[in-house]
Amino acid sequence: MGVFASFSLLFLLAFCVLVTPGMGSSCSPGDQACYQRVYEDEGNVLCSFGKGFIQALGWRNCTENGRSSYDHCQYEGIHCDPQTRFVQNFTLSATLKKLYLPVAMGLLSNLENIVMYSNPLLRGSIPESFSKLESLKSIDLMNSGLGGKIPPGLFALPNLRSISFDNNGFTGKIPEFTASPPLKKLHLRNNFFSGSLPPSLMKIQSLSSLNIAGNFLSGSFPAFENSTLSDCVFTQEYGQTNEFCCSMQEIIPPPCILLGCDRSC
């Protein structure tokens, strides 16, 4: 680990100690003092994202020591709850600057939506800290330059409704959905996922849109316990494709696209 990386890690650890207590506790309805404390902490977290993000989004009111000197709810790409002023949505439009997902984003415990699609210069992997975003409902990172393994805790978040990771370089197995989230959309097309499908995926009753084509998945299908799928693609005719064993094809919902299966399993 280089000197800069070591310094950054030490800074983040120190920063977490300073701000986490106020952000990790829930505020009682109408507790304005608590709202204000969390608001200030979240502003400082945003300013700790680093010069790359600050410049890409045009945030010009972060001090040199990483403190917010302006209403961060007015920042480009930030949407706050109108009552509490907690950060709810983070959006990054296409940028010409090479960026990495900020580890400190995992401290925004009230964050519900992350929209950062079509950013080919967004590099690196998803930080483990994203597994702490228990309020997260949707995350869209499709058409970017990300890779590596998905933190197992990310797919274990209890409130996830939509995951869009199409056209990246993610590897490893698809994590288990241990919290049985109210997931409606899971799009992982054109990555490098391998291994078999997690059985917990097939138990999500709310799932309606599934696309996992263009990976290196294999094995047999677990029995679907879900009858709400209206849009699903498992394999594709061109490029890299999954190689599933389809002895249980009769349990695959009719609207699903499944090509080139080996029935000898």
Side-chain angles (χ1 to χ4, degrees):
M1 180 180 294
V3 174
F4 177 76
S6 299
F7 175 79
S8 300
L9 179 59
L10 289 173
F11 172 79
L12 178 63
L13 290 173
F15 189 80
C16 290
V17 171
L18 289 173
V19 303
T20 301
M23 296 175 62
S25 57
S26 59
C27 295
S28 300
D31 188 342
Q32 297 299 323
C34 183
Y35 291 168
Q36 181 64 25
R37 183 173 65 250
V38 174
Y39 166 81
E40 293 175 358
D41 286 345
E42 290 188 337
N44 295 333
V45 166
L46 292 173
C47 282
S48 75
F49 280 10
K51 289 184 178 180
F53 265 89
I54 292 172
Q55 292 175 357
L57 290 165
W59 299 348
R60 302 184 184 279
N61 299 91
C62 291
T63 63
E64 290 184 1
N65 62 354
R67 296 289 176 176
S68 176
S69 60
Y70 184 71
D71 179 11
H72 59 268
C73 292
Q74 303 299 318
Y75 285 167
E76 178 73 23
I78 299 297
H79 172 78
C80 296
D81 181 277
Q83 300 298 323
T84 63
R85 295 194 298 171
F86 295 166
V87 176
Q88 284 188 321
N89 302 339
F90 182 92
T91 303
L92 176 67
S93 301
T95 176
L96 299 178
K97 184 179 290 290
K98 185 178 180 180
L99 298 173
Y100 296 86
L101 292 174
V103 176
M105 187 177 285
L107 294 172
L108 298 174
S109 57
N110 302 290
L111 190 62
E112 295 183 1
N113 303 291
I114 298 174
V115 181
M116 304 175 75
Y117 63 85
S118 296
N119 275 289
L121 293 181
L122 188 62
R123 302 297 174 84
S125 58
I126 299 176
E128 290 281 351
S129 61
F130 278 41
S131 299
K132 298 179 180 179
L133 297 172
E134 294 196 355
S135 298
L136 193 65
K137 295 180 180 179
S138 69
I139 178 168
D140 188 345
L141 302 174
M142 66 183 296
N143 300 328
S144 297
L146 296 167
K149 295 182 179 180
I150 305 295
L154 181 62
F155 281 16
L157 293 174
N159 295 302
L160 277 176
R161 290 167 170 77
S162 177
I163 300 172
S164 298
F165 289 172
D166 294 345
N167 302 316
N168 277 281
F170 294 119
T171 61
K173 291 186 175 182
I174 298 175
E176 292 281 356
F177 294 85
T178 54
S180 299
L183 191 68
K184 294 184 177 181
K185 176 182 178 181
L186 177 64
H187 284 196
L188 306 175
R189 185 170 188 154
N190 292 335
N191 282 279
F192 297 94
F193 290 110
S194 59
S196 58
L197 291 174
S200 56
L201 172 62
M202 301 308 165
K203 297 180 181 180
I204 299 177
Q205 298 293 322
S206 56
L207 191 63
S208 60
S209 180
L210 173 66
N211 193 330
I212 54 174
N215 286 284
F216 295 100
L217 298 167
S218 59
S220 59
F221 278 89
F224 274 89
E225 297 181 16
N226 162 44
S227 59
T228 62
L229 275 171
S230 58
D231 170 32
C232 49
V233 182
F234 296 127
T235 56
Q236 57 190 19
E237 295 183 86
Y238 56 88
Q240 64 194 45
T241 188
N242 304 314
E243 296 182 357
F244 289 116
C245 170
C246 299
S247 60
M248 300 182 71
Q249 190 168 5
E250 67 276 3
I251 61 172
I252 298 171
C256 297
I257 298 176
L258 183 63
L259 304 171
C261 287
D262 178 7
R263 292 178 175 273
S264 65
C265 60

